[in-house]
Amino acid sequence: MAALQASFCSSSFSSASSRKIKAQRFESSHLPVHRLLVNELSQRNGLLNLTATSSDIELNPKFEISKRSKRGDSISDSNLVQELYAVMEIVADRIEMHNNIKAQRDNWNGLLLNSVNGMTATAAIMAGLACVTGSGPSILSLKISSSLLYMAVTGIVLVMNKIQPSQLAEEQRNASRLFKKLHEEIKTTLALKSQITSYDVKVAMEKVLALDKAYPLPLLGTMIEKFPQIVEPAVWWPEEEPKCHHQNMSDKFERNGWNEKLEEEMKEVLGVMKGKDSAEYARLSNMVLKVNKILAFCGPLLTGSAAIGSGLIGLPGFGSWGAVLGVVVGALGSVVNTLEHGGQVGMVFEMYRSSAGFFKLMEETIESTLKERKVGDRENGELFEVKVALQLGRSLSELRDLANASSVSSRFQQAKEEFASKLF
């Protein structure tokens, strides 16, 4: 019996020893894999501190404080990420709000124009019937009804000319597009940057506030002036947008993609935009504004004259002038109002003003980039050239050809006939 127990104990001890040895071999064989995973994940995410043990991997949040520029400390932690996500949610809400208001003001333009044309046609018909009707109470009722309709049309047209519903809709359309662009920029920042800084949050907030100022939601009090004395391009970006500085530690990126040829190319493109594109859209904006002013003045004047003419129908001493004013002038008023609001002249003016703002933004971007003497603090030159080319609707070769043609024409004092942009 004792021999049996001894053999059992020895066999149990040997089996336990063998299991322990196997476990140690398994653990030692898999430990390098854990280490490799830890190193890989640590390189991919700077916010996680992964420590490997023999049995598991512990993930601990790690908040690093680093200095990326001379502008101050840029703290990368979960609070800043949450703030940037909060800004992105606000931007998404702005997009929905501007889309809804754009649809509403589109409806205003269509419904008010149809109502005005219907009332004008009815008033003209009543004035014509009053002309062919003899004396009596019937002519008086037709005259009064026609005059009242024309006066109502005049009041509605004055309000429409003041607010310009088609221009209001175009403003909200531009605001929605620019907020969508900002939303994608924030998404790209969150996706590509492992460390979100206070600078990123500040820039995003400044852009939101600049867009709110450029395209206000309320109609009263903060509405953009529809007939300005001086036409200025639309401005939807911060006045002095700070730039984030990047330091290049490698000699390979010492020039950061920039060279003298690229700088000269950007200067030539800048000259073409200032001399051709910006000047052309400023001219078009002024021309459309003048046309809109003439139409806005003539529409109420014609319908108001028609209201007076309808009241003069049948009175002695006026002959056929009452009929001419009540019918013909009223019809001309309907034509003018249709040209102004059906043709959406206000929308065209806002479109040209926004296009001029687009070129102003590009000019300021190129100028501020070239003024930065440290190439390491600029955006990468090759990437910057690609962005400029695509924004102008050109390929890289076409952009370089434009710069070369501009340089040759200026050298021989020839006129620069080609525009920088192929999109507008």
Side-chain angles (χ1 to χ4, degrees), residues 2-261:
L4 182 61
Q5 291 178 351
S7 63
F8 177 76
C9 292
S10 62
S11 61
S12 299
F13 178 76
S14 62
S15 62
S17 301
S18 63
R19 285 197 300 268
K20 185 176 181 180
I21 293 172
K22 289 180 180 179
Q24 291 177 351
R25 289 178 178 176
F26 178 82
E27 182 179 349
S28 62
S29 64
H30 285 73
L31 182 57
V33 178
H34 286 175
R35 295 290 185 186
L36 291 175
L37 290 174
V38 168
N39 294 334
E40 180 68 19
L41 292 174
S42 298
Q43 291 176 0
R44 290 186 179 183
N45 196 342
L47 296 177
L48 295 178
N49 183 19
L50 290 80
T51 59
T53 62
S54 60
S55 58
D56 60 355
I57 299 177
E58 297 179 358
L59 278 69
N60 299 323
K62 174 178 143 184
F63 305 130
E64 296 181 355
I65 300 178
S66 60
K67 293 183 178 179
R68 299 190 59 183
S69 67
K70 296 180 181 179
R71 300 185 182 275
D73 296 333
S74 54
I75 304 173
S76 176
D77 56 13
S78 61
N79 292 333
L80 293 176
V81 175
Q82 291 175 6
E83 289 179 10
L84 197 56
Y85 269 110
V87 174
M88 188 169 68
E89 291 176 1
I90 294 297
V91 171
D93 184 61
R94 290 286 201 284
I95 294 171
E96 189 65 24
M97 292 171 65
H98 283 286
N99 281 332
N100 293 338
I101 294 178
K102 181 260 297 181
Q104 177 198 54
R105 291 172 182 176
D106 262 337
N107 289 335
W108 282 1
N109 191 55
L111 294 174
L112 289 174
L113 180 61
N114 291 334
S115 300
V116 163
N117 286 339
M119 294 168 66
T120 305
T122 303
I125 292 173
M126 287 184 174
L129 291 175
C131 292
V132 298
T133 303
S135 61
S138 59
I139 186 174
L140 181 61
S141 61
L142 289 173
K143 287 166 52 178
I144 294 175
S145 299
S146 178
S147 296
L148 289 176
L149 284 174
Y150 274 131
M151 286 189 289
V153 167
T154 303
I156 295 174
V157 170
L158 286 173
V159 174
M160 291 181 67
N161 292 343
K162 177 65 177 178
I163 65 175
Q164 293 289 319
S166 64
Q167 186 173 345
L168 290 175
E170 180 67 15
E171 291 170 4
Q172 302 306 313
R173 195 177 293 114
N174 288 334
S176 178
R177 176 180 61 84
L178 293 170
F179 270 114
K180 286 180 181 178
K181 181 181 178 182
L182 178 58
H183 189 269
E184 294 300 320
E185 289 178 1
I186 297 175
K187 285 175 62 177
T188 303
T189 301
L190 289 168
L192 296 182
K193 295 191 69 173
S194 60
Q195 293 181 344
I196 302 300
T197 65
S198 57
Y199 170 81
D200 298 320
V201 179
K202 179 182 177 182
V203 169
M205 292 181 64
E206 287 180 350
K207 289 182 177 180
V208 172
L209 296 176
L211 279 171
D212 287 339
K213 182 179 179 181
Y215 300 103
L217 288 168
L219 186 62
L220 300 177
T222 59
M223 183 179 66
I224 299 175
E225 177 61 38
K226 299 301 182 287
F227 299 99
Q229 297 296 327
I230 300 176
V231 180
E232 295 181 354
V235 177
W236 59 82
W237 58 92
E239 294 182 359
E240 294 182 0
E241 181 178 346
K243 297 190 300 181
C244 184
H245 296 285
H246 302 277
Q247 294 182 355
N248 295 315
M249 304 303 294
S250 174
D251 292 338
K252 180 180 179 180
F253 301 102
E254 183 180 356
R255 295 294 299 172
N256 197 19
W258 287 91
N259 52 54
E260 294 182 1
K261 183 178 180 181

Side-chain angles (χ1 to χ4, degrees), residues 230-296:
I230 300 176
V231 180
E232 295 181 354
V235 177
W236 59 82
W237 58 92
E239 294 182 359
E240 294 182 0
E241 181 178 346
K243 297 190 300 181
C244 184
H245 296 285
H246 302 277
Q247 294 182 355
N248 295 315
M249 304 303 294
S250 174
D251 292 338
K252 180 180 179 180
F253 301 102
E254 183 180 356
R255 295 294 299 172
N256 197 19
W258 287 91
N259 52 54
E260 294 182 1
K261 183 178 180 181
L262 180 57
E263 290 184 357
E264 291 298 325
E265 176 186 332
M266 290 296 108
K267 290 178 182 179
E268 294 297 335
V269 172
L270 178 63
V272 174
M273 283 194 294
K274 285 185 175 181
K276 296 292 294 183
D277 299 80
S278 297
E280 177 68 12
Y281 281 100
R283 183 187 68 83
L284 290 174
S285 299
N286 280 287
M287 181 185 69
V288 175
L289 180 62
K290 290 178 181 178
V291 173
N292 201 21
K293 284 182 177 180
I294 294 172
L295 295 176

